[in-house]
Amino acid sequence: MKARYRYRCYPTPSHKLALAKLFGCVRVVWNDSLGFCISEYIGGKNKPKNAELQKQFITQAKKLEEREWLSEVSAVPLQQSLNDLEQAYQNFFNSCKGKRQGQKVKPPRFKKRKSKQSARFTKLGFSIKGEKVYLAKVGKLKVVWTRELPSEPSSVTIIKESSDRYFLSFVVEVQPEVLPSSDSSVGIDLGISTFATLSNGQKIKAPKPLKERIRKLKKLSKSLSRKTKGSKRHEFYRKRLAKLADTRTDFLHKLSTQLIRENQTIVLEDLNVSGMVRNRKLSRAISDLGWRTFRNFLEAKSEKYGRDFRVIDRWEPTSKTCSCCGFKIGKLDLSIREWICLNCGTSHDRDINAATNILVAGGLSETLNGRGGSIRLSQDSSTQRSVNPPEFKQLSIFDWLE
């Protein structure tokens, strides 16, 4: 399997100038080709082939007076930029035809100068020389090697973040590292007040970088809006604003790694995050937590370390089903954090009960809470609940009051 190894690099002022030219050329080639494809579509024609775009916007464009500066950078990242454009269009077309699963993919967009910049080199455009990495027509970059590369990289991407930090991202072939087998499994219920509640009763709070720094964010945004675009002060506040996003990523990486190392099977509930963020009262809090990013981290690390990662259906009534006897209550308002089962009388913490049911719905059989309620699951993803004595009995509210 392929993996990315990312390292911080520190280019000199001359390197930064060369990289700025490189990023600009990559961006111009992408935008020129995308604009041409859009104009062809408006004219009722099919999208030009990748080979035609390569010839027109790289080979022939270098001979034009207004684009002759494309020759000052390596041709490798320019070609890779159009390869990425071709892949972006293929993803869009497959999504429209229903050949691609998941959320609908939007068509490619124009690249901006102030957003994150990147350029990819294949084997012909880079080499590792001792402690430094040589990029064609850029030079040798100083790299902080925090870990060794497991194999020879097939490509490297030079990245400039909005916060003006530079990284080298290598693509290498790695063998899956199978961790020692574990007997423990965990179901995870994601929430807002508590980021994750585990089926073992543990509750994990999120750092919520946006909520904790909302005043600082507003202050920086206000200061940035008052500065003249292109000025040194505007650039200074823009970089400070871009650095506020690192806290959440660090938290999600550490938590996902901990869960993968401690558990053989991880079960998560499928959440419609894109639909939930449409709630204007909860959209900021949900976006601040990074639920989808957390799921992606768990899925990737499970594959890498030989763990079992499962996702249950989003319509499974995990919150309002008793994890002891399987009794399902009616509508459960979001403000109710604890409830008592009308059938067996067990008091439930809403989140812990949901996490336990998520674990069971993921295909793991166990006896819960020592009350004799066993859960049998078939070979497929559907769950079958059977309750040993006492018999399942529907009680009315009047029977409960007596």
Side-chain angles (χ1 to χ4, degrees):
M1 61 179 292
K2 292 185 177 181
R4 283 193 175 272
Y5 279 62
R6 178 164 153 158
Y7 304 89
R8 180 82 180 268
C9 65
Y10 295 89
T12 62
S14 60
H15 290 153
K16 290 183 178 181
L17 180 60
L19 289 173
K21 290 182 180 180
L22 175 62
F23 294 143
C25 291
V26 169
R27 186 175 61 252
V28 166
V29 168
W30 171 286
N31 290 343
D32 287 350
S33 302
L34 179 58
F36 180 72
C37 292
I38 294 175
S39 64
E40 291 291 284
Y41 171 76
I42 295 176
K45 300 180 181 180
N46 294 330
K47 176 192 170 297
K49 295 183 179 180
N50 186 32
E52 298 176 6
L53 295 177
Q54 298 265 2
K55 182 179 180 180
Q56 180 176 352
F57 293 101
I58 298 179
T59 308
Q60 296 179 354
K62 292 180 179 180
K63 302 176 182 179
L64 302 177
E65 184 178 354
E66 62 270 17
R67 289 288 186 268
E68 60 182 5
W69 35 264
L70 290 175
S71 303
E72 298 178 6
V73 302
S74 172
V76 175
L78 303 183
Q79 296 167 357
Q80 295 303 314
S81 176
L82 294 188
N83 290 341
D84 292 341
L85 179 63
E86 177 70 16
Q87 186 62 52
Y89 263 115
Q90 289 301 320
N91 294 339
F92 170 62
F93 293 149
N94 291 336
S95 180
C96 293
K97 295 177 183 178
K99 297 180 180 180
R100 183 184 175 94
Q101 296 181 350
Q103 192 174 2
K104 292 292 184 180
V105 177
K106 295 182 180 180
R109 297 182 297 179
F110 291 100
K111 291 187 176 182
K112 298 180 181 179
R113 184 170 63 90
K114 289 298 182 182
S115 60
K116 184 176 75 172
Q117 307 291 317
S118 64
R120 187 168 74 255
F121 291 82
T122 56
K123 288 184 178 181
L124 299 176
F126 79 99
S127 60
I128 301 176
K129 298 185 177 181
E131 297 296 321
K132 295 185 178 181
V133 175
Y134 171 78
L135 300 180
K137 293 190 178 182
V138 175
K140 296 180 180 180
L141 300 179
K142 179 183 177 182
V143 184
V144 179
W145 298 99
T146 53
R147 53 181 174 169
E148 293 185 1
L149 289 172
S151 61
E152 184 180 355
S154 59
S155 67
V156 62
T157 304
I158 176 70
I159 302 171
K160 179 190 176 184
E161 291 190 340
S162 301
S163 56
D164 204 24
R165 294 180 299 179
Y166 293 81
F167 294 89
L168 287 173
S169 178
F170 297 90
V171 176
V172 295
E173 191 73 25
V174 297
Q175 296 297 328
E177 178 187 348
V178 180
L179 294 174
S181 180
S182 174
D183 295 332
S184 60
S185 303
V186 65
I188 307 173
D189 177 59
L190 300 178
I192 296 178
S193 57
T194 302
F195 175 77
T197 303
L198 309 184
S199 54
N200 58 14
Q202 182 182 1
K203 294 190 176 184
I204 302 171
K205 293 186 177 181
K208 297 184 180 179
L210 179 60
K211 182 178 180 180
E212 293 183 359
R213 303 181 184 182
I214 192 67
R215 289 186 179 181
K216 184 177 181 180
L217 180 66
K218 289 180 178 179
K219 185 177 180 179
L220 287 176
S221 300
K222 188 175 182 180
S223 300
L224 180 64
S225 64
R226 292 177 174 178
K227 302 298 182 292
T228 304
K229 287 187 177 181
S231 64
K232 291 184 178 180
R233 299 298 293 175
H234 184 276
E235 189 69 10
F236 172 78
Y237 279 98
R238 185 189 66 79
K239 292 177 183 177
R240 287 189 62 186
L241 197 61
K243 290 182 179 179
L244 294 178
D246 294 336
T247 305
R248 178 179 62 210
T249 304
D250 180 69
F251 164 76
L252 296 178
H253 265 303
K254 290 180 179 178
L255 178 59
S256 58
T257 300
Q258 178 186 347
L259 293 173
I260 290 294
R261 292 190 179 278
E262 295 178 353
N263 301 279
Q264 183 67 31
T265 304
I266 298 93
V267 187
L268 200 65
E269 186 178 15
D270 184 24
L271 297 175
N272 183 19
V273 180
S274 59
M276 296 171 71
V277 294
R278 296 174 186 171
N279 185 331
R280 62 186 182 87
K281 294 182 179 180
L282 301 176
S283 58
R284 176 186 289 174
I286 294 174
S287 301
D288 192 21
L289 292 168
W291 287 340
R292 183 66 200 190
T293 305
F294 180 63
R295 173 176 168 176
N296 292 339
F297 286 170
L298 286 175
E299 192 169 2
K301 293 177 182 180
S302 297
E303 181 180 357
K304 180 179 179 181
Y305 295 112
R307 297 307 200 194
D308 186 14
F309 177 70
R310 307 178 187 180
V311 179
I312 68 168
D313 185 66
R314 68 181 58 169
W315 304 112
E316 189 75 22
T318 56
S319 295
K320 55 185 181 181
T321 301
C322 176
S323 57
C324 293
C325 65
F327 176 78
K328 185 169 68 174
I329 63 174
K331 184 177 179 181
L332 191 65
D333 194 80
L334 193 62
S335 61
I336 301 175
R337 310 314 303 174
E338 294 184 1
W339 58 279
I340 299 175
C341 177
L342 299 179
N343 186 66
C344 64
T346 306
S347 178
H348 291 296
D349 179 284
R350 179 193 182 111
D351 297 332
I352 298 177
N353 178 70
T356 305
N357 287 326
I358 289 172
L359 178 64
V360 174
L364 302 174
S365 179
E366 61 179 30
T367 301
L368 304 174
N369 294 353
R371 291 184 172 265
S374 63
I375 298 169
R376 292 200 310 265
L377 295 112
S378 59
Q379 296 298 323
D380 57 7
S381 59
S382 62
T383 55
Q384 299 174 344
R385 295 181 179 271
S386 69
V387 181
N388 293 332
E391 288 290 330
F392 193 110
K393 180 182 178 182
Q394 180 75 34
L395 299 179
S396 69
I397 186 65
F398 302 103
D399 295 330
W400 176 257
L401 291 176
E402 292 177 358

